[in-house]
Amino acid sequence: MDCLFCSIIKGEIPSTKVYEDDATYAFRDIHPMARAHVLVVPKCHVTSLADEVPDEVYTACMHTCKKVAELEGISQSGFRVVSNAGPDACQSVHHLHFHILGGQKLSESMA
Ligand code: AMP
């Protein structure tokens, strides 16, 4: 299966790592939409939140989102977690991922 984020996790495509543990990988978005913009992905391939996401995978991702916010120094200033699922959300990479955005005042809109 040809999946961009699986290739990044395997190190076949370079990325700027922010954090890694047994179940998750976090790296900088190549086109940052905020001063801090990190992607958190599970190491196992899951397409999106619309897919079957095992509880332990979901929990591991949420822990890593919180960890990344701490590492980026944005826990207290505030941050947003976004996961696009499916065409109406304009999901472009079909491997579950969470955008961690912060480091500046974000827009009041949802995106
Ligand atoms: P989404 O549109 O929610 O599917 O988000 C996919 C994200 O992956 C976008 O914000 C892209 O900028 C980001 N992206 C695509 N290719 C790479 C890459 N090679 N390294 C880091 N981020 C990437």
Side-chain angles (χ1 to χ4, degrees):
M1 184 179 47
D2 217 17
C3 169
L4 174 64
F5 288 173
C6 285
S7 297
I8 286 177
I9 292 161
K10 284 188 253 172
E12 296 167 355
I13 292 174
S15 64
T16 304
K17 179 164 90 171
V18 173
Y19 177 78
E20 180 175 17
D21 60 24
D22 288 348
T24 65
Y25 186 71
F27 56 104
R28 299 207 180 280
D29 195 293
I30 204 165
H31 297 303
M33 303 294 282
R35 282 194 202 107
H37 188 172
V38 177
L39 299 173
V40 170
V41 300
K43 286 186 174 175
C44 65
H45 184 85
V46 178
T47 303
S48 76
L49 284 176
D51 201 353
E52 289 292 325
V53 183
D55 285 350
E56 62 274 18
V57 170
Y58 184 75
T59 301
C61 287
M62 290 301 101
H63 277 290
T64 298
C65 289
K66 185 171 155 69
K67 181 74 183 172
V68 164
E70 289 165 3
L71 292 171
E72 293 292 289
I74 57 176
S75 279
Q76 300 307 311
S77 53
F79 62 96
R80 184 171 289 160
V81 181
V82 175
S83 189
N84 295 318
D88 279 0
C90 304
Q91 182 181 7
S92 62
V93 180
H94 299 279
H95 181 125
L96 175 63
H97 54 281
F98 297 88
H99 298 257
I100 312 298
L101 298 149
Q104 65 188 74
K105 187 79 174 172
L106 299 170
S107 73
E108 289 181 19
S109 69
M110 291 300 288

